[in-house]
């Protein structure tokens, strides 16, 4: 599906499950925006959402079957909670590989990702950077699992503004892989990350 | 609402927006479980979800007004992406303060929180621990904003099993606050965290 090899994350289709997931992201944000003070009939909203979940569950494959499918071919980049077009938790962040070996993406985060008033949750920044460093390893050389991750918070990361997320593999020493990354807003680094990864992968279900 | 002072996170009501958010969490999981191979009419699902979002948006307060409301009184613990009953991104994790000054919660994470096949995303563990350390500071003494967070991944953290999340403030030196925490499964530590926090808070909107 990704015709350009430098597109490192799955591109959402405007149809199929991806369109439904995009709508689910709207629901998440709208529920939080509405909140307890809204005069919406929330019990009716709950009924409508439960009906959608029931309908989907009636048409879903067995969990084991789905786990095999999501770890095969293009499925691998379609389901994660950072970039996945099938995962409504994902903002989603799209990442592109650059010729200098680094990767980059731009994302705007709304209310559901809030930590301090008006700013991104520090743990959400950690989630984005952990994932981005992992993808940077895939782009730059050998990849693996996170062994240690250090985040430094330099200034608050704003909600509702374009954030640039970068990652780059910086060293490979035997099975040890090191990668770094940043989240910036308006040209200033808000969060930086250093990760140590170990070149191993858990088996895929089959 | 929390009658027991040791309940550090908001308890979901089975009505109002919380019930709708609980249903939205089901939709998120069911969409990912159904995936692209499902024979569900996804364009119809998208329409139904967009209609719910439209309805909620029609009944939502202005963003500025909502931001004030969510940072007032009990609202403060109702909207975050880890514990908030109004935030469908949150698993949610409920945290309880203990007499020894530590805090603890148990949570089961499903498919949307997946990183490696069958295991929790390392960045999701970071999100849970960053938040838990912040709440541990509130329980244990002065609290503040994350300045530095280090995660160590000892073994993969399983999906679909009860995870125990703990946090504890360990030192306060002037404005510097240190806290530690863990995520364990079956009595074994999967991820440990050390955080340095600075005793400052961003202003609340009003």
């Amino acid at each position: 599906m990704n015709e350009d090899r430098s597109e490192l994350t799955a591109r959402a289709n405007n149809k199929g499950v991806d369109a439904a997931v995009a709508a689910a992201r709207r629901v998440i944000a709208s529920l939080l925006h509405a909140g307890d003070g809204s005069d919406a009939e929330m019990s009716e909203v709950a009924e409508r959402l439960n009906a959608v979940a029931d309908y989907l569950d009636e048409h879903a494959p067995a969990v084991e079957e789905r786990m095999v499918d999501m770890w095969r071919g293009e499925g691998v980049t379609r389901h994660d909670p950072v970039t996945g077009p099938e995962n409504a938790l994902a903002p989603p962040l799209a990442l592109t590989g650059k010729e200098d070996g680094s990767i980059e993406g731009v994302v705007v985060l709304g209310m559901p990702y809030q930590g301090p008033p008006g700013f991104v949750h520090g743990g959400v920044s950690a989630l984005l950077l952990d994932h981005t460093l992992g993808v940077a390893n895939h782009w730059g050389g050998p990849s693996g699992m996170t062994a240690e991750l250090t985040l430094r918070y330099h200034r608050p990361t704003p909600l509702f503004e374009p954030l640039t997320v970068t990652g780059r593999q910086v060293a490979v020493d035997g099975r040890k892989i090191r990668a770094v990354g940043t989240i910036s807003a308006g040209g200033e680094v808000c969060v930086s990350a250093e990760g140590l990864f170990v070149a191993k992968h858990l088996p895929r279900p089959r």
Side-chain angles (χ1 to χ4, degrees), chain A:
Chain A
M1 199 68 78
N2 293 350
E3 289 167 17
D4 181 353
R5 196 176 79 89
S6 69
E7 266 185 39
L8 302 176
T9 46
R11 198 188 286 190
N13 305 313
N14 289 321
K15 56 189 176 121
V17 69
D18 297 6
V21 168
R25 290 193 187 112
R26 283 194 61 207
V27 170
I28 295 167
S30 297
L31 278 168
L32 187 53
H33 182 183
D36 241 352
S38 160
D39 62 358
E41 285 294 342
M42 288 296 180
S43 56
E44 200 188 293
V45 170
E47 265 176 44
R48 287 163 73 181
L49 293 175
N50 276 316
V52 169
D54 290 342
Y55 171 77
L56 288 164
D57 289 351
E58 283 159 22
H59 292 264
V63 171
E64 297 69 25
E65 191 186 323
R66 173 63 177 138
M67 287 287 274
V68 171
D69 193 53
M70 73 191 341
W71 285 104
R72 201 158 50 182
E74 206 217 356
V76 175
T77 55
R78 300 199 96 259
H79 59 80
D80 69 75
V82 176
T83 75
E86 291 177 1
N87 192 330
L89 300 185
L93 171 65
L95 292 165
T96 308
K98 304 206 291 187
E99 283 190 13
D100 67 3
S102 70
I103 70 168
E104 193 175 293
V106 175
V107 69
V108 176
L109 299 177
M111 236 185 239
Y113 302 93
Q114 185 175 227
F119 294 91
V120 176
H121 194 292
V124 168
S125 297
L127 168 60
L128 264 56
L129 282 166
D130 176 60
H131 195 82
T132 299
L133 268 51
V135 176
N137 286 330
H138 274 279
W139 178 245
S143 65
M145 292 176 65
T146 319
E148 196 172 313
L149 181 71
T150 299
L151 290 312
R152 290 186 183 85
Y153 298 86
H154 306 281
R155 51 178 56 80
T157 306
L159 288 179
F160 310 124
E161 287 182 30
L163 304 175
T164 302
V165 186
T166 67
R168 187 164 51 91
Q169 186 173 83
V170 289
V172 178
D173 175 14
R175 298 178 67 213
K176 289 186 179 176
I177 302 163
R178 289 178 194 278
V180 298
T182 56
I183 300 178
S184 305
E188 299 214 82
V189 174
C190 303
V191 188
S192 59
E194 278 179 45
L196 169 65
F197 297 78
V198 177
K200 65 174 178 191
H201 292 276
L202 293 176
R204 292 180 178 182
R206 54 184 179 164

PDB file of all heavy atoms in Angstrom, chain A residues 6 14 16 24 27 38-39 57 77 97 117 119 129 135 139 141 146 150 168 177 188 199:
ATOM      1  N   SER A   6       9.806   5.394   1.690  1.00  0.00           N
ATOM      2  CA  SER A   6      10.124   6.238   2.833  1.00  0.00           C
ATOM      3  C   SER A   6       8.905   6.514   3.720  1.00  0.00           C
ATOM      4  O   SER A   6       9.027   7.103   4.775  1.00  0.00           O
ATOM      5  CB  SER A   6      10.751   7.558   2.363  1.00  0.00           C
ATOM      6  OG  SER A   6       9.789   8.335   1.702  1.00  0.00           O
ATOM      7  N   ASN A  14      -9.683   5.982   3.028  1.00  0.00           N
ATOM      8  CA  ASN A  14     -10.904   6.706   3.371  1.00  0.00           C
ATOM      9  C   ASN A  14     -12.122   5.808   3.314  1.00  0.00           C
ATOM     10  O   ASN A  14     -13.242   6.262   3.143  1.00  0.00           O
ATOM     11  CB  ASN A  14     -11.082   7.923   2.467  1.00  0.00           C
ATOM     12  CG  ASN A  14     -10.057   8.981   2.800  1.00  0.00           C
ATOM     13  OD1 ASN A  14      -9.752   9.193   3.974  1.00  0.00           O
ATOM     14  ND2 ASN A  14      -9.509   9.621   1.790  1.00  0.00           N
ATOM     15  N   GLY A  16     -13.556   1.455   4.411  1.00  0.00           N
ATOM     16  CA  GLY A  16     -13.299   0.291   5.241  1.00  0.00           C
ATOM     17  C   GLY A  16     -13.131   0.674   6.693  1.00  0.00           C
ATOM     18  O   GLY A  16     -13.613   1.717   7.146  1.00  0.00           O
ATOM     19  N   ALA A  24     -14.380   7.022  15.036  1.00  0.00           N
ATOM     20  CA  ALA A  24     -14.264   6.690  16.466  1.00  0.00           C
ATOM     21  C   ALA A  24     -13.360   7.695  17.175  1.00  0.00           C
ATOM     22  O   ALA A  24     -13.613   8.072  18.322  1.00  0.00           O
ATOM     23  CB  ALA A  24     -13.723   5.269  16.646  1.00  0.00           C
ATOM     24  N   VAL A  27     -15.409  10.559  17.994  1.00  0.00           N
ATOM     25  CA  VAL A  27     -16.279  10.271  19.145  1.00  0.00           C
ATOM     26  C   VAL A  27     -15.510  10.444  20.457  1.00  0.00           C
ATOM     27  O   VAL A  27     -16.006  11.061  21.406  1.00  0.00           O
ATOM     28  CB  VAL A  27     -16.880   8.847  19.049  1.00  0.00           C
ATOM     29  CG1 VAL A  27     -17.584   8.458  20.347  1.00  0.00           C
ATOM     30  CG2 VAL A  27     -17.841   8.752  17.865  1.00  0.00           C
ATOM     31  N   SER A  38     -22.535  18.651  29.578  1.00  0.00           N
ATOM     32  CA  SER A  38     -23.286  18.696  28.323  1.00  0.00           C
ATOM     33  C   SER A  38     -24.735  18.296  28.557  1.00  0.00           C
ATOM     34  O   SER A  38     -25.044  17.485  29.433  1.00  0.00           O
ATOM     35  CB  SER A  38     -22.637  17.732  27.322  1.00  0.00           C
ATOM     36  OG  SER A  38     -23.543  17.389  26.311  1.00  0.00           O
ATOM     37  N   ASP A  39     -25.652  18.868  27.750  1.00  0.00           N
ATOM     38  CA  ASP A  39     -27.049  18.451  27.868  1.00  0.00           C
ATOM     39  C   ASP A  39     -27.393  17.368  26.842  1.00  0.00           C
ATOM     40  O   ASP A  39     -28.565  17.107  26.569  1.00  0.00           O
ATOM     41  CB  ASP A  39     -27.994  19.655  27.752  1.00  0.00           C
ATOM     42  CG  ASP A  39     -27.872  20.349  26.399  1.00  0.00           C
ATOM     43  OD1 ASP A  39     -27.031  19.920  25.589  1.00  0.00           O
ATOM     44  OD2 ASP A  39     -28.621  21.307  26.156  1.00  0.00           O
ATOM     45  N   ASP A  57     -18.674  -6.858  16.995  1.00  0.00           N
ATOM     46  CA  ASP A  57     -18.278  -8.127  17.619  1.00  0.00           C
ATOM     47  C   ASP A  57     -18.919  -9.323  16.907  1.00  0.00           C
ATOM     48  O   ASP A  57     -18.312 -10.390  16.785  1.00  0.00           O
ATOM     49  CB  ASP A  57     -18.655  -8.134  19.114  1.00  0.00           C
ATOM     50  CG  ASP A  57     -17.770  -7.178  19.920  1.00  0.00           C
ATOM     51  OD1 ASP A  57     -16.780  -6.671  19.355  1.00  0.00           O
ATOM     52  OD2 ASP A  57     -18.082  -6.928  21.092  1.00  0.00           O
ATOM     53  N   THR A  77       1.965  -2.576  10.469  1.00  0.00           N
ATOM     54  CA  THR A  77       1.993  -1.135  10.767  1.00  0.00           C
ATOM     55  C   THR A  77       0.585  -0.538  10.839  1.00  0.00           C
ATOM     56  O   THR A  77       0.414   0.670  10.834  1.00  0.00           O
ATOM     57  CB  THR A  77       2.795  -0.362   9.693  1.00  0.00           C
ATOM     58  OG1 THR A  77       2.231  -0.654   8.410  1.00  0.00           O
ATOM     59  CG2 THR A  77       4.259  -0.750   9.707  1.00  0.00           C
ATOM     60  N   GLY A  97      10.764   8.286   6.413  1.00  0.00           N
ATOM     61  CA  GLY A  97      12.210   8.114   6.492  1.00  0.00           C
ATOM     62  C   GLY A  97      12.927   9.107   5.590  1.00  0.00           C
ATOM     63  O   GLY A  97      12.471   9.363   4.476  1.00  0.00           O
ATOM     64  N   PRO A 117      -2.745  21.552  32.182  1.00  0.00           N
ATOM     65  CA  PRO A 117      -3.763  22.334  31.457  1.00  0.00           C
ATOM     66  C   PRO A 117      -3.250  22.915  30.136  1.00  0.00           C
ATOM     67  O   PRO A 117      -2.331  23.728  30.132  1.00  0.00           O
ATOM     68  CB  PRO A 117      -4.105  23.463  32.438  1.00  0.00           C
ATOM     69  CG  PRO A 117      -3.732  22.947  33.782  1.00  0.00           C
ATOM     70  CD  PRO A 117      -2.582  22.010  33.570  1.00  0.00           C
ATOM     71  N   PHE A 119      -1.619  21.393  27.768  1.00  0.00           N
ATOM     72  CA  PHE A 119      -0.383  20.790  27.254  1.00  0.00           C
ATOM     73  C   PHE A 119      -0.491  19.257  27.198  1.00  0.00           C
ATOM     74  O   PHE A 119      -1.332  18.655  27.860  1.00  0.00           O
ATOM     75  CB  PHE A 119       0.811  21.226  28.103  1.00  0.00           C
ATOM     76  CG  PHE A 119       1.089  22.705  27.979  1.00  0.00           C
ATOM     77  CD1 PHE A 119       0.498  23.611  28.855  1.00  0.00           C
ATOM     78  CD2 PHE A 119       1.898  23.187  26.957  1.00  0.00           C
ATOM     79  CE1 PHE A 119       0.732  24.986  28.719  1.00  0.00           C
ATOM     80  CE2 PHE A 119       2.127  24.553  26.812  1.00  0.00           C
ATOM     81  CZ  PHE A 119       1.541  25.455  27.688  1.00  0.00           C
ATOM     82  N   LEU A 129       7.414   8.891  21.514  1.00  0.00           N
ATOM     83  CA  LEU A 129       8.861   8.781  21.287  1.00  0.00           C
ATOM     84  C   LEU A 129       9.330   7.333  21.328  1.00  0.00           C
ATOM     85  O   LEU A 129      10.182   6.930  20.530  1.00  0.00           O
ATOM     86  CB  LEU A 129       9.622   9.664  22.283  1.00  0.00           C
ATOM     87  CG  LEU A 129       9.589  11.152  21.893  1.00  0.00           C
ATOM     88  CD1 LEU A 129      10.037  12.039  23.043  1.00  0.00           C
ATOM     89  CD2 LEU A 129      10.462  11.419  20.654  1.00  0.00           C
ATOM     90  N   VAL A 135      10.656   2.782  15.250  1.00  0.00           N
ATOM     91  CA  VAL A 135      10.539   2.886  13.788  1.00  0.00           C
ATOM     92  C   VAL A 135      11.848   3.414  13.189  1.00  0.00           C
ATOM     93  O   VAL A 135      12.278   2.977  12.114  1.00  0.00           O
ATOM     94  CB  VAL A 135       9.337   3.789  13.397  1.00  0.00           C
ATOM     95  CG1 VAL A 135       9.267   3.992  11.888  1.00  0.00           C
ATOM     96  CG2 VAL A 135       8.020   3.190  13.906  1.00  0.00           C
ATOM     97  N   TRP A 139      14.226   1.890  10.134  1.00  0.00           N
ATOM     98  CA  TRP A 139      14.675   2.668   8.978  1.00  0.00           C
ATOM     99  C   TRP A 139      16.199   2.699   8.900  1.00  0.00           C
ATOM    100  O   TRP A 139      16.783   2.611   7.824  1.00  0.00           O
ATOM    101  CB  TRP A 139      14.118   4.096   9.068  1.00  0.00           C
ATOM    102  CG  TRP A 139      14.531   5.020   7.962  1.00  0.00           C
ATOM    103  CD1 TRP A 139      15.307   6.137   8.084  1.00  0.00           C
ATOM    104  CD2 TRP A 139      14.181   4.943   6.573  1.00  0.00           C
ATOM    105  NE1 TRP A 139      15.451   6.747   6.872  1.00  0.00           N
ATOM    106  CE2 TRP A 139      14.783   6.032   5.916  1.00  0.00           C
ATOM    107  CE3 TRP A 139      13.420   4.028   5.822  1.00  0.00           C
ATOM    108  CZ2 TRP A 139      14.647   6.258   4.538  1.00  0.00           C
ATOM    109  CZ3 TRP A 139      13.287   4.259   4.451  1.00  0.00           C
ATOM    110  CH2 TRP A 139      13.887   5.350   3.824  1.00  0.00           C
ATOM    111  N   GLY A 141      18.653   0.681  10.505  1.00  0.00           N
ATOM    112  CA  GLY A 141      19.504  -0.499  10.609  1.00  0.00           C
ATOM    113  C   GLY A 141      18.780  -1.623  11.325  1.00  0.00           C
ATOM    114  O   GLY A 141      17.594  -1.822  11.106  1.00  0.00           O
ATOM    115  N   THR A 146      12.614  -2.332  23.208  1.00  0.00           N
ATOM    116  CA  THR A 146      13.110  -1.326  24.141  1.00  0.00           C
ATOM    117  C   THR A 146      13.626  -1.995  25.416  1.00  0.00           C
ATOM    118  O   THR A 146      12.917  -2.791  26.026  1.00  0.00           O
ATOM    119  CB  THR A 146      11.995  -0.334  24.546  1.00  0.00           C
ATOM    120  OG1 THR A 146      11.212  -0.009  23.406  1.00  0.00           O
ATOM    121  CG2 THR A 146      12.588   0.940  25.133  1.00  0.00           C
ATOM    122  N   THR A 150      14.952   6.896  28.252  1.00  0.00           N
ATOM    123  CA  THR A 150      15.015   8.079  29.112  1.00  0.00           C
ATOM    124  C   THR A 150      14.427   9.271  28.381  1.00  0.00           C
ATOM    125  O   THR A 150      14.809   9.570  27.247  1.00  0.00           O
ATOM    126  CB  THR A 150      16.467   8.374  29.529  1.00  0.00           C
ATOM    127  OG1 THR A 150      16.961   7.254  30.263  1.00  0.00           O
ATOM    128  CG2 THR A 150      16.530   9.617  30.426  1.00  0.00           C
ATOM    129  N   ARG A 168      16.191   8.890  15.330  1.00  0.00           N
ATOM    130  CA  ARG A 168      17.380   8.533  14.567  1.00  0.00           C
ATOM    131  C   ARG A 168      18.165   7.462  15.313  1.00  0.00           C
ATOM    132  O   ARG A 168      18.384   7.581  16.523  1.00  0.00           O
ATOM    133  CB  ARG A 168      18.255   9.787  14.389  1.00  0.00           C
ATOM    134  CG  ARG A 168      19.449   9.637  13.479  1.00  0.00           C
ATOM    135  CD  ARG A 168      19.992  11.016  13.080  1.00  0.00           C
ATOM    136  NE  ARG A 168      20.213  11.863  14.244  1.00  0.00           N
ATOM    137  CZ  ARG A 168      21.374  11.938  14.929  1.00  0.00           C
ATOM    138  NH1 ARG A 168      22.386  11.207  14.577  1.00  0.00           N
ATOM    139  NH2 ARG A 168      21.482  12.748  15.967  1.00  0.00           N
ATOM    140  N   ILE A 177      21.390  -1.515  20.525  1.00  0.00           N
ATOM    141  CA  ILE A 177      21.061  -0.486  19.544  1.00  0.00           C
ATOM    142  C   ILE A 177      20.690   0.779  20.313  1.00  0.00           C
ATOM    143  O   ILE A 177      19.941   0.707  21.288  1.00  0.00           O
ATOM    144  CB  ILE A 177      19.848  -0.935  18.697  1.00  0.00           C
ATOM    145  CG1 ILE A 177      20.147  -2.255  17.989  1.00  0.00           C
ATOM    146  CG2 ILE A 177      19.437   0.150  17.707  1.00  0.00           C
ATOM    147  CD1 ILE A 177      18.891  -2.962  17.493  1.00  0.00           C
ATOM    148  N   GLU A 188      11.290  24.680  18.729  1.00  0.00           N
ATOM    149  CA  GLU A 188      11.964  24.451  20.010  1.00  0.00           C
ATOM    150  C   GLU A 188      11.678  23.043  20.530  1.00  0.00           C
ATOM    151  O   GLU A 188      10.531  22.586  20.495  1.00  0.00           O
ATOM    152  CB  GLU A 188      11.475  25.467  21.048  1.00  0.00           C
ATOM    153  CG  GLU A 188      11.775  26.898  20.641  1.00  0.00           C
ATOM    154  CD  GLU A 188      12.079  27.753  21.854  1.00  0.00           C
ATOM    155  OE1 GLU A 188      13.233  27.720  22.321  1.00  0.00           O
ATOM    156  OE2 GLU A 188      11.150  28.425  22.336  1.00  0.00           O
ATOM    157  N   ALA A 199      18.490  -6.166  20.088  1.00  0.00           N
ATOM    158  CA  ALA A 199      18.098  -6.756  18.798  1.00  0.00           C
ATOM    159  C   ALA A 199      17.483  -8.137  18.976  1.00  0.00           C
ATOM    160  O   ALA A 199      18.121  -9.164  18.738  1.00  0.00           O
ATOM    161  CB  ALA A 199      19.312  -6.826  17.870  1.00  0.00           C
TER     162      ALA A 199
END
